Amino acid sequence: NFLQFPTVFWAVGSSDRALLGVCTSGIVLSSLLFLVPLVLCSKNICSKSAWWHLVYTIIETLAWWTCGFLYLSLIHVSGDFLGLQSDSNLVEIDALLGLVRLVQTTHPYPALLAVRFFAFRKMLGCGICKWYGSGMWQKLTAMNVHYFTQPLPNRFSYFAHHMPNWFHRQSVLATFCIEVLLPYLIW
């Protein structure tokens, strides 16, 4: 049911080709969101006419929302693999940036506040979830196992895992400072 699980895969099917197409579309759209403003502004096309600016703003907003919907589609069909907190935040930030793009020229300060609030809420929420989510974070021992239990361990995980306990405790404290205290500096 589309209303229960909004995903583009209801329309395009669930083949490998459909999955590759959704991923490729997201990569192309997000690349365009990054590159097109650089090209347009370097050639001073952005400020030539109000009509062009309006059309570009609407296209960019739709691109942000499309990227968010494509990623939401991937979340729904990938199960636990994309079930992290950061994955749902990507969908949320795409929706927010689409809205911000619509109002940033007429209301830049509220647009900036909305993005800052998102960053504040995301960082503070991560720190609070860690504190209340596992006793290991409260005991400052979470990093003793984190390097092997993180979603995508890398080649340095083995070496980080074998660091001394005082290093792991300091890493947990640093994480809490970054995620619970520093977000207040955003304002």
Side-chain angles (χ1 to χ4, degrees):
N1 183 324
F2 182 81
L3 294 177
Q4 195 172 18
F5 298 105
T7 175
V8 71
F9 293 106
W10 288 110
V12 299
S14 58
S15 66
D16 287 346
R17 179 176 280 190
L19 184 62
L20 184 60
V22 167
C23 292
T24 303
S25 299
I27 290 169
V28 168
L29 268 177
S30 58
S31 298
L32 289 174
L33 281 167
F34 176 73
L35 295 173
V36 170
L38 294 176
V39 172
L40 292 180
C41 292
S42 68
K43 299 190 182 296
N44 210 12
I45 295 173
C46 296
S47 58
K48 286 195 175 182
S49 78
W51 181 85
W52 170 249
H53 182 71
L54 175 65
V55 168
Y56 177 70
T57 298
I58 292 170
I59 290 171
E60 190 175 12
T61 299
L62 292 174
W64 278 115
W65 290 343
T66 303
C67 282
F69 181 66
L70 291 174
Y71 202 78
L72 180 65
S73 297
L74 291 171
I75 289 172
H76 282 310
V77 299
S78 63
D80 291 338
F81 188 72
L82 291 179
L84 299 172
Q85 178 185 5
S86 58
D87 294 314
S88 60
N89 286 330
L90 285 173
V91 174
E92 187 178 352
I93 195 68
D94 282 336
L96 176 65
L97 290 175
L99 288 173
V100 163
R101 183 62 182 108
L102 286 176
V103 299
Q104 76 179 17
T105 52
T106 55
H107 300 36
Y109 190 67
L112 179 64
L113 282 178
V115 173
R116 284 184 177 176
F117 176 73
F118 176 83
F120 172 79
R121 187 177 57 84
K122 161 100 173 101
M123 292 302 293
L124 186 62
C126 285
I128 289 172
C129 284
K130 282 178 178 67
W131 181 259
Y132 290 109
S134 169
M136 293 182 78
W137 285 98
Q138 294 174 4
K139 295 174 194 166
L140 306 181
T141 59
M143 296 308 248
N144 293 351
V145 298
H146 173 73
Y147 301 106
F148 283 119
T149 60
Q150 63 183 323
L152 298 172
N154 60 57
R155 69 186 84 177
F156 301 109
S157 296
Y158 174 83
F159 301 105
H161 178 73
H162 288 92
M163 295 296 283
N165 280 335
W166 65 265
F167 179 82
H168 294 303
R169 294 175 75 77
Q170 294 301 317
S171 297
V172 172
L173 288 173
T175 300
F176 282 130
C177 286
I178 291 167
E179 293 184 352
V180 176
L181 300 177
L182 285 182
Y184 289 96
L185 298 178
I186 289 174
W187 303 105

